[in-house]
Amino acid sequence: MPAKGAVTLAPFIASLDLALLFESLALGAAACWACASLLSAPAARHLGAFAFSRWRMASVSLMLWSLSLLTGGWQSLSAGPAGIMMLSGLLGIFIGDTALFAAMNRLGPRRATVLFAGHSLFSVVLGFLLLGETLAGQALLGCSLVATGVMGAVFFGRREGERHHWEQDNGKVAVGVALGVLSAFCQASATLMVKPVMATDIDAVSASAVRMSTALGAHLLLLWSGARVARPIQAINWRILAMVALNGFLAMGVGMTLILIALRYGEVGLVAMLSSVSPVLILPLLWWVQKRPPAKGAWLGALATVLGTMLIVSR
C-alpha cells in the first residue's frame, strides 16, 4: 500500500484502459526524447559527453527529489527495490547515457538516435529470453514495421550534399557506432531490470530520482578521481545550463518517468518498441530547424512507423 500522506494517481489510473495507458505513456516518452535531442547536440559538444551528462543529472536529480519530497512518494522506497534502481541507474544512465552523447558528438544526433533506437530490438530479445515475453500476430507485424520504419527513416533520411553540422562526422565513425550500440544495450538491460520493481507500488518519480542520483554520484566520483575524460571541454554558461536543464527535464525527468510507469502496465518489448519512434517524431522538428524538408526516404520510413504503431495500439 502507498505510504500514508503520499499523493497517488492510482484511482485515476485504475479508471483507464491499461493497454492504452502504457502505449500512450511510451509514445509520450518518445516525443519527449525527440524534443530533447535537439537541445542536447550543441550543449553536449560545448561541455563534452561526461560534463554534459553530469550537469544534466544534477539538474534532474534536484527536480525529481523535490517532487518526491513534495508528494511524499519517497516513503514508498525500500532497500531491495531501491538497490535494483541504483544498479539500473549505473547501467542505463551512467554508462548508457554517457555512451549515447559520446556517440552523438561523433555522429550527430540523427545517426546516434537510430543506433540508440536499437534498444527496442534488444528489449524484445531480452524480454523473450529472461521474462518469457512473446510477440505474435498483429503485435509482431506492428513491431516489425516500427523497427523497419525507424531504421529506414534515418538511413534514407539524409539529403545529398547535406552540410548541417548535425550531419557531420567528428572523430572515428566506428567508435561512434560502437558507443551507440553500447548505449542501446545498456538502456535495454536497465529497462528489463526495473520491470519487476515497477510491478510493485513504488513511486515512479522517486524510483527515477534514485536512478538519477546514483548515476550522478558515479559521475562525480569519476570527476574527483582526476580522470581527464570527465573534465569539461569548455566552461558552462547560463545559456548552456538552461539547455541542459530543459533537456534533462524533458528526456529524463518526464520521459524516463513515463517509461517506468509504462513498464508497470505493459511488456518490456512493446514499451521499448513504441518508445523507439523518436527518430520519426524528430523529422518535423528537423524540418523546422534546418529550414528544409527531410528526404523522401525519411517520410517512407515514417509512414511504416505510423502503420506499425497503429497495429500495435489496435491489436
Side-chain angles (χ1 to χ4, degrees), residues 194-220:
V194 303
K195 168 66 175 175
V197 177
M198 293 311 301
T200 69
D201 62 357
I202 190 171
D203 177 62
V205 171
S206 302
S208 289
V210 171
R211 296 180 77 235
M212 200 66 55
S213 52
T214 301
L216 173 61
H219 265 286
L220 290 175

Side-chain angles (χ1 to χ4, degrees), residues 40-89:
S40 62
R45 283 183 171 168
H46 179 93
L47 295 170
F50 281 84
F52 172 80
S53 295
R54 188 168 58 248
W55 278 102
R56 189 170 77 146
M57 290 171 194
S59 61
V60 176
S61 294
L62 179 61
M63 298 175 196
L64 291 174
W65 279 119
S66 297
L67 185 57
S68 177
L69 292 172
L70 180 65
T71 62
W74 63 272
Q75 299 174 68
S76 68
L77 298 173
S78 57
I84 295 175
M85 288 296 172
M86 292 173 69
L87 185 58
S88 173

